[in-house]
Amino acid sequence: MIFSFDKTSVTLKHEKETLKIEAVGENGLRVRSTQNRAFSGEAHAITEASAKEAEISENEKGVTIRNGKVSCFISRAGYLEFSREGKLILKEYSRCFNGANRHSRCLNIPAREYNCLGGDEYSVMVLPDHPTPICRRTHTHEPVPFLI
């Protein structure tokens, strides 16, 4: 994993994936991911301008980018954890054979799955194996959420 930084963003490169987290507006973070050589220049749904500066820190466990009240921790294994005012609000889940997390490695469930649509177009699926609300700290019987 290779991390790089500038005043308003953190970029992580690993194998075929490039992941970029950018500070946007007063309290926003934009997360982009691609398997292409570069990101498109499209803003897509982003209407706010990039922040002028973000707080970025690095330690032995990973990198944190903070913009206003929100922050994102990127572990050395590439997993993301989002917090607002220091309280965890979203944690990326993954099981993989490389032993990078404490979960069972019997199933190989990547945190992000790419499907090539042809050319430079991909769909990215974020799919947990079950809902586990942070406030409950346990599994629930609700339908499995997903994002494409």
Side-chain angles (χ1 to χ4, degrees):
M1 306 245 170
I2 300 171
F3 286 101
S4 60
F5 321 100
D6 62 28
K7 288 175 129 180
T8 61
S9 68
V10 173
T11 303
L12 168 67
K13 293 187 178 196
H14 178 65
E15 295 178 356
K16 296 187 274 182
E17 180 183 38
T18 301
L19 178 75
K20 186 170 189 172
I21 302 174
E22 303 165 280
V24 177
E26 289 183 36
N27 295 298
L29 294 172
R30 177 185 190 191
V31 179
R32 295 192 292 165
S33 183
T34 187
Q35 289 189 337
N36 295 332
R37 281 177 260 143
F39 292 104
S40 74
E42 298 291 323
H44 298 290
I46 301 296
T47 58
E48 295 185 69
S50 292
K52 295 186 186 336
E53 200 167 353
E55 181 184 328
I56 299 170
S57 58
E58 182 177 19
N59 63 31
E60 68 281 349
K61 294 182 179 182
V63 175
T64 300
I65 179 170
R66 181 179 319 281
N67 183 30
K69 296 178 181 179
V70 297
S71 63
C72 179
F73 170 74
I74 308 112
S75 73
R76 296 273 174 212
Y79 306 124
L80 308 179
E81 295 180 10
F82 293 89
S83 298
R84 180 180 171 95
E85 296 179 325
K87 182 179 177 185
L88 185 65
I89 57 174
L90 179 67
K91 183 176 182 177
E92 193 170 43
Y93 179 81
S94 178
R95 292 181 180 182
C96 57
F97 300 136
N98 67 6
N101 61 38
R102 62 180 178 79
H103 300 289
S104 168
R105 295 177 297 215
C106 298
L107 300 173
N108 191 25
I109 303 171
R112 294 173 291 278
E113 181 178 304
Y114 291 83
N115 296 308
C116 184
L117 302 174
D120 284 348
E121 298 292 320
Y122 289 88
S123 67
V124 179
M125 183 181 293
V126 178
L127 180 67
D129 65 344
H130 54 272
T132 308
I134 292 171
C135 61
R136 288 194 184 168
R137 296 183 180 182
T138 188
H139 306 291
T140 65
H141 296 289
E142 291 146 21
V144 176
F146 66 93
L147 173 68
I148 297 178

